[in-house]
Amino acid sequence: MLLLNLRNEDLLCRYAGDRFALLLPGMGYADASALAQHLCAMVSQMRHHGPQGPLEVSLRFACEVAQGDAEGLLARLSAAVDSAGQALAAVRQPDSATAP
């Protein structure tokens, strides 16, 4: 489904178990971010099932202009996605000391 929503010149790579990287040549930051939001929305509308029934899917993305070495770029993007995941987890499970 992801590939069907990309241009021929775009590159989709799976670089960790549940992480993907997109290279979008010639696409600006705003358009890349909008595309990432679209892809997340599309995947979130799909039904995901495992052996125990429906699976909850959490989708996050980060965008950055490709500069420097690939390892550094992926590390920065991975850190941004991890930070977004931690913020999402904090919203879903508020601190028990402040909960009524």
Side-chain angles (χ1 to χ4, degrees):
M1 290 303 286
L2 296 174
L3 287 173
L4 293 173
N5 286 273
L6 299 176
R7 306 168 300 175
N8 287 336
E9 62 268 23
D10 297 338
L11 177 64
L12 172 68
C13 302
R14 185 175 189 168
Y15 78 93
D18 61 348
R19 294 187 182 208
F20 294 85
L22 284 172
L23 292 176
L24 307 167
M27 187 176 289
Y29 182 88
D31 289 336
S33 183
L35 176 60
Q37 289 174 350
H38 167 74
L39 294 174
C40 285
M42 180 192 66
V43 171
S44 73
Q45 297 301 312
M46 299 170 67
R47 294 178 187 224
H48 306 276
H49 295 278
Q52 305 301 320
L55 299 173
E56 182 179 337
V57 176
S58 174
L59 303 164
R60 300 175 302 280
F61 70 92
C63 293
E64 186 172 322
V65 175
Q67 298 179 52
D69 66 305
E71 285 185 33
L73 175 62
L74 287 174
R76 290 188 302 277
L77 290 170
S78 187
V81 168
D82 289 343
S83 293
Q86 291 168 357
L88 181 61
V91 169
R92 288 187 176 167
Q93 297 177 353
D95 184 8
S96 59
T98 60

